Amino acid sequence: MKAEQPRHVGARIQRFEDIRLLSGLARYIDDIRLPNMLHLNFVRADIAHARIVGIDSSALADIGYPTWVFTGEHTAGLSMKAHQDYPEMQYSEQPLLAEGKVRFVGEPVAVVLAEDAYKAEDAAEHVMVEYDSLPVVGTMKQARDASLPPLFDGWTSNVIVQRQMKGGDLEAARTAAAHVIKRTYRTQRQAGVPMECRGVVAHYNPADRLLTVWSSTQMPHLVRTYIAEELNLPESRIRVVAPDVGGGFGIKGQVFGDEVLVAWLAMKTGRPVKWIEDRREHLVASLHARDHEHTLEAYVSADGRLLGLKADITVDNGAYSTFPFTAAGEPGMVGKVLPGPYDLKAYEATFRAVATNKCPIGTYRGVARPSAVFSQERLMDDIALELGMDPFELRLKNIVREFPYKNVLGFTYDEGSYAQSLEQMRGLLAKDIVDATASRASETTRIGVGFACFIEQTAHGTPDFTRRRVPIETGYIAARVEMSPDGEATIDLGLQNHGQGLETTMAQVAADALGILPENIYVRHGDTLTTPYSVGTWGSRGGPLGGGAVHIAATKLADKLRAIAAHLLQVKADQIELANGKASVRGNPGNHIEIRKLARAALRNVDQLPEGMTPGLEAHASLDGPRDGSYSNAVHAAVVEIDVTTGKMKLRRFVVVEDCGTILNPLVVDGQVRGGVVQGIGSAMFEHFIYDAECQPLTTNFADYLMPLAPEIPDIEVHHIETPTPLTPLGAKGLGEGGAIGPAAAIANAVANALGVGVISTPLNTNALWKLSQHIREAV
Amino acid sequence: MVVKGEPMRPASFEYHRATSLEHALELLSQFGDDGRPIAGGQSLVPMMNFRLARPGHLVDINKLPIAGIEVLGKTLRIGALTRHEAYFGNPLIARHFPAFLDAVHYIGHPTIRRNGSIGGSISHADPTAELPAVAVLHDADIVVRSTAGERRIPATEFFLSAYVTALEPGEMVVAVELPLPPETSTGSFIELGERSGDFATASVGITLEHDGSAVTKAAMVCSGADLFPIRAPEIEDFLAGQPLIDPKAKEAGQLFAESIDPVDDHIASADYRRGLIAQLTQRAITTACTRALGKK
C-alpha cells in the first residue's frame, strides 16, 4: 500500500524527549532505588595476568556493618560465551567472576554487597587477593609470537581467529599494475565514553516468580535471552528494562557478565541488588574499541585505476570475546568493507584477532569502519601522491557510478551519490585549497585540506549475520502500533532510544500513515514487558528498519481506519484519505469523519463496525534488513592549521556531505552527524587508551584519557543529498554511525597535506604533530 | 599483592565549618596530618574521590574573610580565598602584573575559575598549575599560619616536588604577597596543553624591567621542565642587557632547553617538552619585549 503524501516525515520537528532529558525529569539507572536494596562493589584485578592464589575477606568481620562477599567459586560455571562457529576460532569463555586466573586489569574477581554504596566501596578495600603473576601478552607482536604461552588452556596460540576473504584475480592485478603501493596504518585503542556509565539493578519477586533487571543497555531483549539461558529461567519470567540511557554508542550494545551476575545475586540474596559503574571502571573494564593495524598493498595502473588490493588486518582484541559480536566481528568488518566506494575487481584480505592482557574490544560507533576508512582513504591519498594525481581526480576515476553495484566480494550496493558528493565537496573546499597552497611558504603555520570518501553498510539483514555465524543471529526490528478510543496512538518499539530521537522520528512516521499529529503518539521502548522482541538499537538500523516497521504497522492500522470510515461514509476504502485527524473522501473533503470517532467505533461503539469486522485497533510488524543492508555514503573534509613550532593543531573547518536516503527529521540527522563527527575528532586527535609494558592502564580518568572538548570543535557544516533506497519502506538508510567514521581519515589526510608527510597513525596529538613537523623546523 | 579497589567515592571523613581563621587553625592543629582545609575543592575533591587523598577531617574555610586583592605598601596581597575569576578586570593585576593576567586565562574552565582559590592552587602544587608558576616568577611570599603563628615562605622555596610543599601539618596558606614591580616593567606568560583548559604540557612566564630600549633585569619561570615550577637564572642573566627590538629570544629558548631534563610521559615525550619549552620561551620573551616597546 502506497503511503499517504508525507507531511511529518522530513519535517524539522524538535525532539519530544528533550523536554524530559533537558529538564531533569529523565530517570536513569542510578535513579532506581528499591526498598531493602543492596549495593554492589567489585573487587577488580590490579594485575594484568596472574593466577589467583587466594581471596581473603576475613577483615570484613570487624568492619562494623553487614557485608556479603561472592567470588568465582560461588559463580563457577556461569560465564559469557561469545563464539562464532568457525573451525579457525579458538573457544573461550569469560567467567562472571575470575576463576583461577585474571587476564586484564579491571577484570572482576569478587563482589562485596553492603547496605549503601559507600559502605560497599569501603568494604571492598578490605578484600585481599593474593596473586601469582604471569608474563603478559601486551602487544600484537607478542600475541603473534608462538613462543609465548596462550592465555587460555587448550589454545594453540594467541591468535583467536584468522580468516580470509577474497574475490577476483589478485595475481593478474599485481601483474598488470604499473605501481604497487604498500603501507601499514595504525589506529589506536580507545575507550567508548557515553556520558552515563553503565549500571544494573535487579530484583526477584517470588510472588509471581518474576525477575526484573534494569540495565543501561541498548538491547534489553538480548539481555533477557542471555540471562534466561545462563540462569536457566523461563524468559517469560524475566523483565528487562532499559530506563533512560545517557548514551550508548555501541558500548552498551553488548550483553555483559555483570548483567547476569547482578540478576543472579538478586535471586541468591533475595534482595534487590544495585551496581553503578564509576568512570574509572568504565574506562578500564567495560569495553574498548579500535586498536587496529592494517597493511595494505594496492595495485594501480599508470593512469590511476585501482586494479587490486591486498590487505592484512590485525586487531588487538584484549583478553575475551564479547557477546554478541565476538572477537571476529571487528577484524572481519574491516575485511568486508575495505573495498569501499571504489570499483575494484580483485581483492584479498587476511584478518585476525589476537588476544592480549587488556580490556576486551567491542563495538563502538562506526565499528571497525573508522579504522578501515582511515586506512582506505590514507591509502588513496598516498596513491595520489605517488602518481602525482589530484586526490579528487584519483577517487573520481575509481568511484562506483552504476547502481546497483555488485562488489568484488559479492555485496550489492544500492543507489548512492558517491561521485556527486565528491564533486560537491570539491566545490566547497576550493578556497581552502588555495589557502593551503599559499601556506607552504610559512615557517610557522601550515594549512592542510583533507577529505575521506566512504560508504557504510547499514541496516544489515539476517543473511549478513548468518554468513558471519555470529551469535547476534538476526537484525530485525519489530513495532506494535495501537490506537486508543480517544484517537491517540501508542507505539511499542523494539528499538531502545538512547539519544537517537526515536520518540520523535517514529511518531512522525506513524503520524503520516495514521493521519494524526506526531505529538498525539506516545513512543514507548526499552521494556521487554511492553515491547515486541527485537535485537535493540545498534548497527544504524533505527531509521530504516524501526521506521520501516512502524510504517508497516501504522499502515495496517490505517487500512482498518479507512475501512471503518468507508463503511460510515458509504464510500469505498480507497477513496478515504487520513490527514489532520480526519478521514475524508478524496475530492470531497466536506464529507469526512474524525479519526477519534473511528477509534471509538473500533474499540467501544463496535456496533458501528462493518459486518464481520473484529473489534480492536492494534497492528504489529517486524522488518528485517535487506540481504546486504543499505549503503549510506558520505564525504568528510577537514581544514587544519598546524603551528609547526609547537605541534598545536586547530580545525579551521569540518565539512560533511552525506546521503542517508530519505531524511526522517533533518534536525535529528544533523545532530547525529555532528555528534558522530565530534567522536571522530576524538579518535583523530585526542582519545588514546594506553597500557604500559606490563599492561597496566595509564589513562584511567579524564585528566589522562582526553576527550574532545567544545573549544576544540569547529562549527560542523552538514550538507545533504537524498537518494532514497528502494530496499526499505521509507527509502531511509542508516545514519547513526557515519559521523564517527570519516573524521580520522579526513583529518589525517589534511595533516599529510599540510606538512607534506605520510601519516600512518592516530592520534594526531600535539606531540605527534610536532614530530611530523620536524623537517619543516629543520629547513628554517 | 593487595587489591586497592577502584574507588570513585571518597573514603569517609568528617566535615567541619570554620567560623573564624582562629577556629580553622585550631581545628587544623588538632587534626595535624589528618586534616585539610577545603575551599573550592577543585583539586582536593577529585583527589579524595580517587582516594589518593584521604583526610579524616575537612575544615571548610569558605566563610572566612580572607579573600581579596589589595596593595599593602610595596606589595600586592592576595587573600587565600580569592577565586581565580577575580583577577579578570582587576585594575591592580592589569596594571602591574601582565604575566599574571595572561596566566589566569589558561586556568581550567569558567566553573573551575569561579570556585578555585589561590590558596588551594598553591597548596595543591600541581607541577604545571598556573598560580604556583606566577608566584615563583614574581618572587612572591607564601604567607602561612598555624596556631603557632605566621611564617612567610618564599615561593621559590615553597614548592618541593609534584604535589609536595613546605607546608607543615596544621599550617594553612592565608595569603600570597607579590612585590610590586617598578613602573617600567612588563611581562608575559604562555602555555600549551593538549586541549584548552587542560593541565599544561609546559608553560613559560617572563617579567622584564627595561630602560625603553634594552632589558635591564629579567625573571623567567618554567613549568613542565621539572616536577615544580623552576626559575631560569642563566636566561635571566642572558636577557639582561638585550635590546628590546631583538632580544635574541630564539637563542634564549634554545639555551634554556639544553639545560633542562623534562619528564617523559604518555602525554608528551621529553624531547617534545624540550622543543616546546624552547619555543614557548622564545615567544614569551618576544611578547614581553613587544609589550615593553608598546609601553614607552
Side-chain angles (χ1 to χ4, degrees), chain A residues 121 129 280 643 645 707, chain B residues 1 6-7 9 195 269 283:
Chain A
E121 184 147 342
V129 184
R280 188 182 148 106
D643 181 338
T645 66
M707 300 292 294
Chain B
M1 179 87 48
E6 303 281 337
R9 294 178 190 87
R195 304 167 301 183
S269 69
R283 289 194 191 180

Side-chain angles (χ1 to χ4, degrees), chain B:
Chain B
M1 179 87 48
V2 174
V3 170
K4 296 283 197 306
E6 303 281 337
M8 280 296 262
R9 294 178 190 87
S12 148
F13 61 88
E14 271 183 57
Y15 170 90
H16 309 266
R17 167 160 285 177
T19 53
S20 66
L21 183 56
E22 291 66 32
H23 182 213
L25 298 176
E26 194 57 50
L27 290 166
L28 290 170
S29 154
Q30 185 188 330
F31 304 134
D33 266 343
D34 203 26
R36 292 284 290 273
I38 185 162
Q42 298 300 297
S43 304
L44 183 55
V45 170
M47 298 290 269
M48 289 173 63
N49 285 347
F50 290 134
R51 300 195 175 194
L52 293 171
R54 309 175 71 121
H57 300 271
L58 282 188
V59 179
D60 183 347
I61 60 167
N62 281 298
K63 294 287 178 198
L64 306 189
I66 52 170
I69 305 166
E70 57 182 335
V71 172
L72 290 178
K74 291 187 173 178
T75 64
L76 183 83
R77 183 180 167 96
I78 303 173
L81 264 184
T82 306
R83 313 291 170 171
H84 308 322
E85 67 175 12
Y87 308 119
F88 297 126
N90 181 289
L92 293 168
I93 299 290
R95 180 174 166 201
H96 298 292
F97 299 98
F100 190 148
L101 188 57
D102 285 352
V104 178
H105 287 84
Y106 293 107
I107 302 177
H109 299 278
T111 313
I112 293 171
R113 296 195 290 260
R114 174 145 301 172
N115 290 292
S117 69
I118 192 168
S121 176
I122 295 282
S123 308
H124 182 60
D126 183 279
T128 60
E130 290 78 9
L131 294 180
V134 165
V136 169
L137 175 66
H138 288 287
D139 287 314
D141 277 343
I142 313 299
V143 185
V144 307
R145 261 197 227 169
S146 69
T147 48
E150 185 170 292
R151 288 205 291 157
R152 305 171 68 83
I153 309 167
T156 49
E157 296 166 22
F158 184 81
F159 302 102
L160 305 179
S161 186
Y163 313 106
V164 182
T165 68
L167 277 176
E168 297 287 343
E171 273 183 339
M172 182 181 111
V173 173
V174 293
V176 175
E177 291 189 1
L178 287 67
L180 285 178
E183 286 297 326
T184 60
S185 84
T186 188
S188 77
F189 187 98
I190 184 166
E191 87 171 41
L192 190 134
E194 212 46 43
R195 304 167 301 183
S196 54
D198 266 343
F199 293 110
T201 305
S203 65
V204 172
I206 293 281
T207 59
L208 297 177
E209 292 172 29
H210 59 94
D211 60 11
S213 60
V215 177
T216 54
K217 192 178 171 197
M220 171 172 154
V221 70
C222 176
S223 294
D226 206 333
L227 296 175
F228 51 94
I230 57 169
R231 288 283 286 267
E234 67 279 29
I235 305 303
E236 295 170 0
D237 290 347
F238 175 90
L239 287 174
Q242 297 291 348
L244 292 176
I245 286 177
D246 177 16
K248 293 192 189 162
K250 186 170 182 180
E251 202 178 322
Q254 281 166 352
L255 203 62
F256 182 61
E258 282 162 24
S259 73
I260 58 175
D261 185 18
V263 295
D264 206 49
D265 64 26
H266 61 276
I267 301 272
S269 69
D271 270 355
Y272 171 52
R273 278 206 170 84
R274 203 177 286 113
L276 179 63
I277 287 168
Q279 182 58 221
L280 296 180
T281 304
Q282 178 184 341
R283 289 194 191 180
I285 293 169
T286 306
T287 303
C289 288
T290 306
R291 284 178 180 168
L293 288 164
K295 246 183 179 178
K296 283 285 155 188

